[in-house]
């Protein structure tokens, strides 16, 4: 068959060179790669291969990523199916990253584009070519990982010998022959910072004093990424105060090793600073100095142990407080459970109410501290003190409530559908009895787990305007009497409907079919029950409290719900 009758196969040649050295020459590395590829394409002329006149040359670009202009243009050609085969001189000209290479090959396959390396004699249009590609890439990835391990081992061994392994040269030192030497003028500044922090006890006040006195950070070269000779930030000061280099130590793997450089600060001064920093950190963690202290700060976490920290926004002079998940703030996607943030006021109120409900229930309270084997007289005192605490609670300041929760060792765990409280029954009895009788039981080595009190309630987070509202089930009224089985079934159905609707609105589930697949649900059941999320808010609250007519059943709601809330009230509450 002649060439004229063969199918024309359009070939794009891609070339790359990591450095720009020699690119100004009349014949450089890119030209050599292209010439070799053109010769290979010409040898395949009997198959209809034709080299494209378009040049795809990346001179001075690393193969460690795909952020390259010529490669971007080549991928545009691939997307528009303007090329059939991509030809390179060598495999690593396209990419040095296994992950990037796999993604590029998948993209080529998606648009029916083959890939050929002329010096390694394979192409991805054949199964053998694909096998060869995977083997070569695997070895390349292995080589990079082994090299990384060697570098890390060398750094660890060097640091254990006290060798400073680079980075930004710290204030107080200069770098000569790859080792640190004391800069006496800057060393005086470092000592002054340590001494003034011990005197002031506050980094914020220290910064203010240093700014007033005109102290500046270490000068840096003009090309340096961090600009020097500027006022100290609080972050800089914390880094200086915590840096063990100033006592002649090198830090690695959680340990300190004797360094080969001279110390600037005395060891006892440095240790005193660390103790004060730790003390300040504990006070900050417990929000003792906060203008608006948060009730659950330091006590709130999700199912994976990620803390939810207090924060707030302010709109039109009004303050809105929240608890935000630290996994989200720290970009720990693998640990993120989906709870982005919770309204603080509603969650605080729910936790308080769950605790007060325990104090209001004599039977539950006695059962909770039963392991302490209190005498009858002590039980009477316990119940009387619990009743008094419920009355006094409303008059407590937030700081008083925080102190009590600390005394009870209270922790709170939240998930997308439940809030759980855990507290010490022994501590609760001690607080209520305010005597030595319960404290003496500490000497009897009782099992602490047996004395733990766990309180739990289902919750739902749903949208309310531009924010979110936390719904706690059951509410206090629901504790007054047991729910009939039909009411409990209706409550579960409404709670599920609110959760499903929130997942669809927030994008956690892209569609009802996706939601069904994610949670292993019955598709028809989801379609029938999802409409419960559109009930009027007061109807939902009535259902949660169990305060509904006997005629309002789940089967009745499944038959259809009008969208008008007034019609819903007439149809479901007045019948």
């Amino acid at each position: 068959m002649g060439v004229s009758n063969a199918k024309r196969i359009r070939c794009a040649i891609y070339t790359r060179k990591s450095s720009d050295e020699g690119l100004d020459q009349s014949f450089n590395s890119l030209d050599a790669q292209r010439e070799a590829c053109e010769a290979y394409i010409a040898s395949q002329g009997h198959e209809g291969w034709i080299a494209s006149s378009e040049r795809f040359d990346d001179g001075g670009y690393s193969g460690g990523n795909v952020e390259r202009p010529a490669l971007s243009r080549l991928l545009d050609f691939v997307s528009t199916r303007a090329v059939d085969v991509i030809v390179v001189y060598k495999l690593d000209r396209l990419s040095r990253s296994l992950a990037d290479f796999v993604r590029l090959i998948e993209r080529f396959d998606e648009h029916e584009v083959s890939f050929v390396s002329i010096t390694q004699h394979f192409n991805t249009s054949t199964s053998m070519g694909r096998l060869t590609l995977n083997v070569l890439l695997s070895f390349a990835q292995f080589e990079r990982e082994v090299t990384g391990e060697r570098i890390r081992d060398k750094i660890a061994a060097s640091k254990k010998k006290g060798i400073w392994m680079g980075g930004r040269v710290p204030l107080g030192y200069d770098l000569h022959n790859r080792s640190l030497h004391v800069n006496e003028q800057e060393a005086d500044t470092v000592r002054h910072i340590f001494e003034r922090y011990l005197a002031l006890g506050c980094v914020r006040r220290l910064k203010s004093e240093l700014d007033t006195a005109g102290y500046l950070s270490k000068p840096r070269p003009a090309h340096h990424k961090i600009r020097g000779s500027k006022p100290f930030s609080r972050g800089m000061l914390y880094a200086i105060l915590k840096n063990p280099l100033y006592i002649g130590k090198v830090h690695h793997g959680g340990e300190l090793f004797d360094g080969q450089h001279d110390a600037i600060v005395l060891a006892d001064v440095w240790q005193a600073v660390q103790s004060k920093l730790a003390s300040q950190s504990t006070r900050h963690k417990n929000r003792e100095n906060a203008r608006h202290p948060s009730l659950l700060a330091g006590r709130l976490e999700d199912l994976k142990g990620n803390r939810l920290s207090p924060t707030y926004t302010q709109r039109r002079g009004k303050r809105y407080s929240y608890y935000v998940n630290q996994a989200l703030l720290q970009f720990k996607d693998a640990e993120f459970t989906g709870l982005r943030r919770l309204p603080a006021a509603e969650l605080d109120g729910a936790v308080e109410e769950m605790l007060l409900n325990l104090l209001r229930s004599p039977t539950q309270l006695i059962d909770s501290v039963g392991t302490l084997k209190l005498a009858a007289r002590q039980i009477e005192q316990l119940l009387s003190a619990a009743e008094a605490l419920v009355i006094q609670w409303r008059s407590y300041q937030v700081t008083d409530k925080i102190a009590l929760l600390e005394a009870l060792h209270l922790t709170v765990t939240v998930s997308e559908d439940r809030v759980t409280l855990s507290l010490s029954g022994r501590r609760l009895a001690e607080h209520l009895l305010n005597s030595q009788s319960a404290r003496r039981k500490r000497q009897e080595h009782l099992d602490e787990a047996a004395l733990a009190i766990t309180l739990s309630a289902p919750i739902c987070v749903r949208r309310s305007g531009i924010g979110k509202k936390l719904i706690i089930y059951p509410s206090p009224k629901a504790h007054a009497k047991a729910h009939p089985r039909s009411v409990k079934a209706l409550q579960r159905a409404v709670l599920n409907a609110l959760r499903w609707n929130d997942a669809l609105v927030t994008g956690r589930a892209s569609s009802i079919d996706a939601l069904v697949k994610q949670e292993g649900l019955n598709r028809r059941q989801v379609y029938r029950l999802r409409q419960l999320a559109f009930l009027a808010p007061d109807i939902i609250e009535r259902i949660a409290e169990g305060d509904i007519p006997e005629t309002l059943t789940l089967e009745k709601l499944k038959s259809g719900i009008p969208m008008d809330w007034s019609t819903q009230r007439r149809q479901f509450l007045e019948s």
Side-chain angles (χ1 to χ4, degrees):
M1 181 182 292
V3 175
S4 59
N5 296 327
K7 178 184 176 183
R8 296 176 69 253
I9 298 177
R10 299 160 298 176
C11 302
I13 300 172
Y14 177 76
T15 63
R16 182 185 65 79
K17 187 176 186 297
S18 296
S19 67
D20 54 9
E21 183 181 354
L23 291 180
D24 55 348
Q25 298 175 0
S26 58
F27 187 82
N28 55 48
S29 173
L30 300 180
D31 296 323
Q33 292 178 46
R34 183 172 183 83
E35 188 175 270
C37 291
E38 286 175 340
Y40 181 85
I41 293 171
S43 71
Q44 302 297 314
H46 63 283
E47 297 288 345
W49 287 34
I50 301 174
S52 171
S53 59
E54 186 78 22
R55 295 184 68 101
F56 301 97
D57 303 326
D58 275 322
Y61 288 92
S62 168
N65 59 66
V66 294
E67 301 300 324
R68 292 170 256 157
L71 180 59
S72 298
R73 285 194 298 109
L74 178 60
L75 293 178
D76 290 338
F77 271 60
V78 170
S79 299
T80 57
R81 298 182 184 273
V83 61
D84 300 311
V85 178
I86 293 173
V87 182
V88 298
Y89 178 76
K90 196 175 179 182
L91 184 67
D92 62 2
R93 296 304 88 191
L94 187 65
S95 177
R96 291 183 179 273
S97 166
L98 176 60
D100 288 341
F101 212 115
V102 170
R103 283 193 289 269
L104 288 171
I105 295 300
E106 288 176 349
R107 187 163 178 180
F108 296 164
D109 289 345
E110 181 183 348
H111 296 90
E112 299 179 351
V113 174
S114 298
F115 170 74
V116 174
S117 171
I118 65 170
T119 58
Q120 290 153 322
H121 304 293
F122 72 90
N123 70 69
T124 60
S125 62
T126 67
S127 58
M128 183 57 69
R130 292 181 182 277
L131 174 61
T132 307
L133 171 67
N134 287 330
V135 170
L136 289 172
L137 288 175
S138 296
F139 274 102
Q141 182 75 13
F142 172 73
E143 183 181 359
R144 280 190 294 274
E145 291 177 357
V146 169
T147 301
E149 289 176 0
R150 288 173 180 166
I151 293 171
R152 287 191 291 272
D153 290 344
K154 179 182 178 182
I155 292 174
S158 299
K159 285 194 170 185
K160 288 178 180 179
K161 292 181 180 180
I163 301 173
W164 184 71
M165 292 302 294
R168 289 201 302 271
V169 180
L171 179 71
Y173 292 98
D174 291 328
L175 186 63
H176 297 295
N177 298 323
R178 301 183 65 181
S179 60
L180 296 177
H181 298 270
V182 176
N183 179 319
E184 288 299 337
Q185 184 176 354
E186 293 180 0
D188 289 339
T189 300
V190 172
R191 297 187 192 99
H192 178 76
I193 289 173
F194 274 79
E195 291 167 2
R196 293 310 298 156
Y197 174 72
L198 287 176
L200 297 171
C202 175
V203 172
R204 177 176 53 80
R205 289 199 289 267
L206 173 62
K207 170 179 167 49
S208 178
E209 182 177 284
L210 293 174
D211 289 348
T212 302
Y215 283 90
L216 298 177
S217 64
K218 185 178 183 68
R220 304 286 179 184
H223 65 272
H224 204 278
K225 292 181 179 180
I226 305 297
R227 187 167 59 88
S229 299
K230 63 179 183 178
F232 290 100
S233 67
R234 289 171 64 186
M236 287 183 192
L237 294 174
Y238 275 113
I240 290 171
L241 293 170
K242 293 180 180 179
N243 195 340
L245 280 173
Y246 294 123
I247 55 171
K249 301 287 185 180
V250 173
H251 177 270
H252 180 72
E255 297 183 58
L256 294 179
F257 302 94
D258 291 334
Q260 297 184 1
H261 61 281
D262 295 329
I264 291 177
V265 178
L266 295 175
D268 56 346
V269 173
W270 190 83
Q271 193 57 54
V273 167
Q274 305 317 301
S275 299
K276 186 173 284 293
L277 286 170
S279 173
Q280 292 291 337
S281 177
T282 301
R283 294 185 66 196
H284 176 73
K285 177 181 174 181
N286 294 331
R287 308 282 288 177
E288 293 178 12
N289 298 325
R291 183 178 299 176
H292 302 281
S294 296
L295 183 69
L296 303 179
R299 309 189 180 283
L300 186 61
E301 61 183 30
D302 64 14
L303 291 176
K304 292 193 174 182
N306 299 309
R307 287 292 181 90
L308 276 78
S309 303
T311 186
Y312 72 95
T313 59
Q314 202 153 343
R315 298 192 190 98
R316 298 177 182 177
K318 187 173 181 180
R319 181 187 177 95
Y320 299 88
S321 297
Y322 302 93
Y323 292 107
V324 64
N325 198 312
Q326 282 295 315
L328 182 69
L329 297 179
Q330 298 169 16
F331 304 102
K332 298 179 180 177
D333 295 339
E335 301 178 16
F336 185 57
T337 62
L339 283 172
R340 294 180 178 274
R341 65 177 187 175
L342 294 172
E346 295 179 18
L347 184 57
D348 290 349
V351 169
E352 290 182 48
E353 202 61 31
M354 292 171 69
L355 184 58
L356 293 177
N357 285 334
L358 170 65
L359 299 174
R360 292 188 187 106
S361 173
T363 303
Q364 187 179 4
L365 185 57
I366 292 172
D367 288 344
S368 299
V369 299
T371 314
L372 290 171
K373 297 182 175 60
L374 300 176
R377 180 180 56 80
Q378 292 175 314
I379 292 176
E380 290 181 5
Q381 293 176 0
L382 185 84
L383 298 179
S384 176
E387 184 178 353
L389 180 57
V390 171
I391 296 172
Q392 297 166 4
W393 184 265
R394 304 300 179 189
S395 63
Y396 280 7
Q397 299 293 322
V398 176
T399 50
D400 298 328
K401 296 177 181 179
I402 291 174
L404 178 56
L405 299 187
E406 171 72 22
L408 299 182
H409 291 182
L410 181 92
T411 60
V412 182
T413 304
V414 292
S415 65
E416 290 184 304
D417 58 2
R418 185 161 295 275
V419 57
T420 303
L421 275 61
S422 177
L423 63 147
S424 168
R426 176 160 50 205
R427 293 275 184 160
L428 177 61
E430 289 175 2
H431 179 81
L432 294 175
L433 292 174
N434 193 26
S435 68
Q436 299 300 317
S437 57
R439 291 181 174 83
R440 282 196 294 270
K441 293 294 181 180
R442 290 190 182 186
Q443 308 303 321
E444 298 177 7
H445 305 291
L446 294 173
D447 182 10
E448 190 65 32
L451 292 170
I453 301 175
T454 302
L455 308 173
S456 183
I459 65 171
C460 177
V461 182
R462 65 176 176 83
R463 289 196 173 276
S464 176
I466 61 174
K468 289 188 176 181
K469 182 178 181 181
L470 186 71
I471 303 174
I472 308 289
Y473 300 112
S475 68
K477 291 185 180 179
H479 288 287
K481 59 180 180 179
H483 286 288
R485 185 175 300 175
S486 59
V487 176
K488 288 186 177 180
L490 179 55
Q491 289 174 336
R492 285 194 299 270
V494 171
L495 182 59
N496 285 331
L498 291 170
R499 285 179 43 246
W500 298 338
N501 190 62
D502 185 68
L504 292 167
V505 170
T506 58
R508 291 200 309 275
S510 58
S511 65
I512 291 182
D513 288 339
L515 179 66
V516 168
K517 185 176 180 180
Q518 286 174 15
E519 300 197 13
L521 304 170
N522 180 291
R523 189 172 185 274
R524 183 169 178 270
Q525 191 77 342
V526 172
Y527 271 101
R528 292 185 68 190
L529 292 183
R530 190 200 168 197
Q531 60 182 332
L532 300 181
F534 304 109
L535 285 168
D538 56 319
I539 297 180
I540 291 178
E541 290 177 6
R542 292 275 296 272
I543 292 173
E545 295 170 0
D547 182 22
I548 54 175
E550 294 181 3
T551 54
L552 181 54
T553 63
L554 179 56
E555 291 303 318
K556 183 174 182 178
L557 292 175
K558 282 183 179 179
S559 63
I561 297 175
M563 289 295 100
D564 180 65
W565 288 351
S566 299
T567 306
Q568 290 179 14
R569 296 183 184 100
R570 288 195 302 269
Q571 185 173 332
F572 300 137
L573 298 182
E574 296 177 7
S575 56

